[in-house]
């Protein structure tokens, strides 16, 4: 395994006030970096002061979107220690994304070691209020200095981190979501299941329209028939219909969320049936109109478990559960966050101590 060189910052930053934390605006003192080349493999692993990058103007990432990323959090537990939530799942998904975009993969054991070493370095940046955490953003990009469209030879892997509070300004209060009928995010056979920057760039136009209309995010429909529910911009979705939790199955165009996977397990262990299947927008809205849609929520690392209080489709607004957080949503939020923040036992072995 490579050694990780450490160059400490000479100018430590002032940390933001925990009570005022938002999402992704302030960054810690250091960053993890290493490079890949065909002759050396991954090399020069280092933790260095947080700084701007210098890139060749022809760098592949700037022209052909060769970029993948991850998102996970470090949580401060009641005993003052720090833990990660299912970090190996993020590393494995990063490697799946790398496979899709033909970027070099990481050695999973080393990637975990690097994450842990980086978080240990930035430990003082992990905020200690329940609901706050240190968001980690690993990312990997192609960095060949040529405009030819070729298989990528050179790449960079980095991890940056920011102390965060709620992703949505609403916190755990319900959000409003617009079902998108024009643009599509991804298609089967495309890159929907990979966590690559291009998926988010393709989402921007619909997101901007939704935001202007007062919605937090867009709910995507499948790219072929525009009929089946897929996911929201930064979270997977779950609907409780007639006592059963229905979540879109992983068809290849949806991100296989780690929070989704965790929620499915928690729900099943609570005795709540879960169906991973195709769910059409018609079926969903019929259930809503007939009063059978009991609750809806999104789930993701940044968004945690976030109730959906309103859906809009073709200009009509539909209120879910009186725009209140539902019992199952709240219970799921409480159970998941207790494991993540270490206020309850982790019977699943999901947490990894730093
Ligand atoms: N779907 C999309 C498009 C996302 O960006 C995210 C966030 O990472 C998720 C789902 C949820 O995935 P996870 O729970 O692994 O964070
Ligand atoms: C995450 O939840 O980690 C994400 O990557 C969502 C992000 C697009 C804000």
């Amino acid at each position: 395994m490579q050694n990780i060189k450490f160059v400490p910052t000479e100018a430590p930053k002032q940390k933001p006030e925990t009570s005022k934390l938002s999402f992704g605006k302030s960054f810690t003192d250091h960053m993890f970096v290493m490079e890949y080349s065909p002759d050396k493999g991954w090399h020069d692993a280092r933790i260095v002061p947080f700084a701007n990058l210098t890139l060749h103007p022809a760098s592949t990432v700037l022209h052909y979107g060769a970029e993948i990323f991850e998102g996970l959090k470090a949580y401060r537990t009641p005993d003052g220690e720090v833990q990660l939530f299912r970090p190996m799942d993020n590393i494995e998904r990063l490697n799946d994304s790398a496979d899709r975009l033909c970027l070099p993969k990481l050695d999973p054991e080393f990637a975990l070691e690097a994450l842990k070493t980086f978080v240990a370095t930035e430990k003082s940046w992990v905020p200690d209020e329940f609901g706050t955490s240190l968001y980690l953003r690993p990312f990997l990009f192609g960095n060949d200095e040529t405009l030819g469209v070729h298989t990528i030879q050179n790449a960079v892997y980095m991890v940056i981190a920011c102390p965060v509070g709620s992703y949505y300004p609403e916190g755990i209060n319900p959000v409003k979501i617009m079902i998108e009928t024009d643009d599509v995010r991804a298609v089967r056979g495309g890159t929907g299941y990979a966590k690559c920057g291009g998926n988010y760039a393709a989402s921007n136009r619909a997101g901007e329209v939704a935001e202007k209309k007062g919605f937090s995010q867009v709910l995507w429909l499948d790219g072929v028939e525009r009929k089946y529910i897929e996911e929201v911009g930064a979270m997977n979705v779950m609907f409780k219909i007639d006592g059963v939790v229905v979540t879109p199955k992983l068809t290849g165009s949806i991100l296989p969320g780690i929070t989704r996977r965790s929620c499915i397990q928690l729900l099943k262990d609570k005795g709540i049936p879960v169906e991973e299947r195709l769910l059409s927008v018609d079926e969903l809205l019929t259930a809503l109109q007939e009063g059978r849609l009991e609750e809806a929520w999104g789930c993701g690392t940044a968004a945690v478990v976030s109730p959906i209080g309103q859906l809009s489709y073709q200009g009509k607004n539909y209120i879910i559960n009186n725009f209140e957080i539902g019992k199952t949503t709240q219970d799921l939020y409480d159970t998941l966050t207790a494991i993540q923040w270490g206020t309850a036992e982790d019977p699943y072995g999901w947490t990894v101590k730093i």
Side-chain angles (χ1 to χ4, degrees), residues 222-347:
D222 76 278
V224 179
E225 296 183 70
R226 306 202 186 182
K227 181 173 164 190
Y228 298 104
I229 304 283
E230 298 236 297
E231 63 180 326
V232 172
M235 33 184 212
N236 295 110
V237 279
M238 300 191 165
F239 303 94
K240 192 168 180 214
I241 304 172
D242 291 328
V244 176
V245 173
V246 181
T247 192
K249 72 172 186 181
L250 302 176
T251 51
S253 51
I254 301 175
L255 192 79
I258 294 157
T259 321
R260 174 188 181 279
R261 190 179 304 158
S262 311
C263 287
I264 291 172
Q265 174 93 55
L266 293 174
L267 288 163
K268 286 185 174 167
D269 291 353
K270 286 173 188 291
I272 300 172
V274 182
E275 290 177 1
E276 295 178 64
R277 63 170 170 86
L278 293 180
L279 172 66
S280 72
V281 71
D282 283 350
E283 179 187 342
L284 180 69
L285 293 182
T286 304
L288 207 162
Q289 282 159 329
E290 292 175 354
R292 295 184 293 105
L293 175 63
E294 298 160 25
E295 300 178 38
W297 64 88
C299 55
T301 300
V304 195
V305 171
S306 187
I308 300 173
Q310 181 181 324
L311 280 178
S312 151
Y313 182 59
Q314 294 178 334
K316 271 183 83 176
N317 289 324
Y318 301 85
I319 301 293
I320 302 168
N321 193 36
N322 296 321
F323 208 79
E324 285 165 14
I325 180 164
K327 210 168 139 285
T328 306
T329 314
Q330 182 73 59
D331 186 38
L332 193 56
Y333 175 89
D334 291 343
T335 311
L336 179 71
T337 54
I339 295 175
Q340 290 173 329
W341 272 274
T343 57
E345 280 295 301
D346 167 15

